[in-house]
Amino acid sequence: EMLLVESGGGLVKPGGSLRLSCITSGFTFSSYSMSWVRQAPGKGLEWVSSISSSGGQIYYADSMQGRITISRDNAKNVLSLHMNSLRAEDTAVYYCARDVGETMVHGVFDYWGQGTRVTVSS
Amino acid sequence: DIQMTQSPSSLSASVGDRVTITCQASQDITNFLNWYQQKPGKAPKLLVYDASNLETGVPSRFSGSGSGTDFTFTITSLQPEDIATYYCQQFDYLPYTFGQGTKLEI
């Protein structure tokens, strides 16, 4: 069974940091690109970041560029998102998603985790 | 960034109805378009990729069509379990962008 399980969310003050993790199983993690997509309360979906299978291609949304770092550990099947300088507008559920692309990021997200909630508030 | 405009934003229909949602891209994205279904409190689910290809395991009452800037998503016979919000998403250009969603109610 394909599983993607996010963790690391929580309540953080403006300007604070969080590290989100996505532990995966049920597929060959090292063969797939991975992405983070977020959803603010009551709002639509917003792509955040993607990383290719080897980590050689990394892309960020402008809204978070410079404040986030995506990484992966192919030995542990874990995707991470380190977020700094968090703002109220970063409040959202953050989903990790598998990309059908292998060596290159493709932009088709075929499996998703259940999400981890990040709340930025004083 | 490419803007994706979905219509309508919400839709009320009856079981057995044919339902159509449209998605317009602000520029030509060829067929680099996906459709996702999101039920309340759940993660999105990929239904259609490359504008018209049905993801494995997705019921055949769902379909997608279109190319260039204009795309359509159709449910041929609405079922109660289809109550959800539907999103289009382009993946021709970074940043990947989603439509604002269409909330489907019965």
Side-chain angles (χ1 to χ4, degrees):
Chain A
E1 182 190 6
M2 192 104 45
L3 283 177
L4 294 85
V5 180
E6 301 95 335
S7 62
L11 175 64
V12 61
K13 289 181 168 54
S17 300
L18 274 179
R19 186 180 186 90
L20 308 183
S21 296
C22 175
I23 299 174
T24 72
S25 61
F27 66 99
T28 305
F29 179 74
S30 60
S31 294
Y32 289 89
S33 299
M34 298 292 296
S35 295
W36 289 96
V37 176
R38 69 180 181 179
Q39 186 170 36
K43 302 297 184 183
L45 301 167
E46 179 187 14
W47 170 79
V48 171
S49 180
S50 294
I51 185 168
S52 61
S53 57
S54 68
Q57 282 185 321
I58 287 177
Y59 304 101
Y60 298 116
D62 286 347
S63 60
M64 300 200 82
Q65 176 85 42
R67 300 188 296 124
I68 58 172
T69 302
I70 191 172
S71 62
R72 62 190 299 157
D73 185 333
N74 285 345
K76 296 182 178 178
N77 300 335
V78 176
L79 174 72
S80 297
L81 186 69
H82 194 183
M83 305 188 294
N84 298 314
S85 304
L86 286 164
R87 308 165 180 165
E89 54 265 36
D90 297 320
T91 294
V93 174
Y94 285 74
Y95 295 100
C96 73
R98 191 181 83 164
D99 189 316
V100 301
E102 298 182 6
T103 56
M104 295 179 64
V105 170
H106 191 54
V108 179
F109 310 128
D110 62 348
Y111 287 95
W112 299 60
Q114 286 306 300
T116 186
R117 186 174 301 274
V118 172
T119 303
V120 184
S121 174
S122 55
Chain B
D1 298 1
I2 296 179
Q3 305 303 314
M4 305 300 294
T5 304
Q6 279 182 243
S7 181
S9 297
S10 63
L11 175 59
S12 183
S14 300
V15 173
D17 280 356
R18 181 185 182 93
V19 170
T20 298
I21 299 169
T22 64
C23 180
Q24 186 170 60
S26 59
Q27 65 186 77
D28 190 338
I29 57 169
T30 322
N31 68 331
F32 293 103
L33 184 104
N34 304 317
W35 290 95
Y36 297 88
Q37 175 193 64
Q38 187 179 32
K39 296 184 177 180
K42 300 296 185 182
K45 175 186 177 182
L46 177 66
L47 298 182
V48 173
Y49 63 95
D50 294 349
S52 61
N53 292 314
L54 206 61
E55 176 72 345
T56 302
V58 174
S60 59
R61 63 181 181 274
F62 296 100
S63 65
S65 64
S67 65
T69 60
D70 296 301
F71 301 87
T72 300
F73 175 79
T74 300
I75 307 172
T76 53
S77 179
L78 187 66
Q79 300 302 302
E81 60 267 30
D82 299 337
I83 295 310
T85 300
Y86 293 84
Y87 294 93
C88 62
Q89 175 234 335
Q90 69 81 19
F91 61 102
D92 196 8
Y93 298 96
L94 284 160
Y96 304 131
T97 48
F98 292 84
Q100 81 277 17
T102 295
K103 187 174 183 180
L104 182 53
E105 299 171 323
I106 291 184

